[in-house]
Amino acid sequence: MAHAALEAAKAKAKERGVPPGRRRPVVGAGQNPRRRRWSGPGADARDPQPLGRLVSRLVKDRGWNESVTSARVFAQWGRLVGEDVAEHAQPVALKDGELTVRASSTAWATQLRLLQGKLLAKIAAGVGNGVVKRMRIQGPTAPSWRKGPRHVSGRGPRDTYG
């Protein structure tokens, strides 16, 4: 009976035109249908890409757009507002469209408040509209005597013999 089954299989293989013991290659079987073995003359996702394009796609896919645009404000601060302003004012925080800027003196804080409209226009031209909607300008701060997570109210360093 086994001999008869073997002869039937050989006859069927001969009928298909394939030598016995070999299978006819089936195109696309067992492979991902979207993946080709060759890229062809057209553009393909597997082709080399410029680094900038890959990074922008990664930023967009991960949802980091807001973080990256706010980081551009801090990184390009001198170019956005001008070197003379950047020498006396530093960005501190950007949250919900409000940029907090710390000035080196009270005179510069007043000057920045007067220039606030022009600075917002320059920042919008440099990084895009809607990134910075308003500015909060602070003057220089006095040193803080609070050290550590716990604090006891008092007069600070003068209250040592009490």
Side-chain angles (χ1 to χ4, degrees), residues 55-102:
V55 169
S56 359
R57 187 181 316 150
L58 177 70
V59 165
K60 189 176 103 181
D61 291 347
R62 302 278 171 107
W64 296 340
N65 287 335
E66 187 176 327
S67 303
V68 170
T69 52
S70 64
R72 285 180 59 199
V73 172
F74 289 91
Q76 299 175 357
W77 178 251
R79 188 183 62 80
L80 291 174
V81 297
E83 292 301 322
D84 53 340
V85 174
E87 187 177 332
H88 297 284
Q90 296 299 320
V92 177
L94 177 61
K95 187 172 184 180
D96 298 329
E98 182 179 63
L99 178 67
T100 305
V101 178
R102 178 159 298 131

Side-chain angles (χ1 to χ4, degrees), residues 97-154:
E98 182 179 63
L99 178 67
T100 305
V101 178
R102 178 159 298 131
S104 62
S105 67
T106 55
W108 268 102
T110 305
Q111 184 69 21
L112 290 174
R113 287 184 189 106
L114 294 173
L115 292 173
Q116 187 170 358
K118 291 180 182 178
L119 293 177
L120 286 172
K122 284 182 177 182
I123 292 170
V127 295
N129 288 330
V131 176
V132 177
K133 298 173 188 164
R134 57 193 172 278
M135 291 176 70
R136 194 170 116 209
I137 299 168
Q138 300 174 341
T141 58
S144 172
W145 300 106
R146 290 181 95 160
K147 305 284 191 247
R150 295 182 178 86
H151 175 71
V152 176
S153 60

Side-chain angles (χ1 to χ4, degrees), residues 20-45:
R22 296 217 177 184
R23 291 184 149 181
R24 179 186 298 168
V26 179
V27 178
Q31 295 178 1
N32 185 349
R34 294 180 301 188
R35 182 175 171 148
R36 300 182 308 216
R37 291 180 172 245
W38 45 271
S39 86
D44 190 6

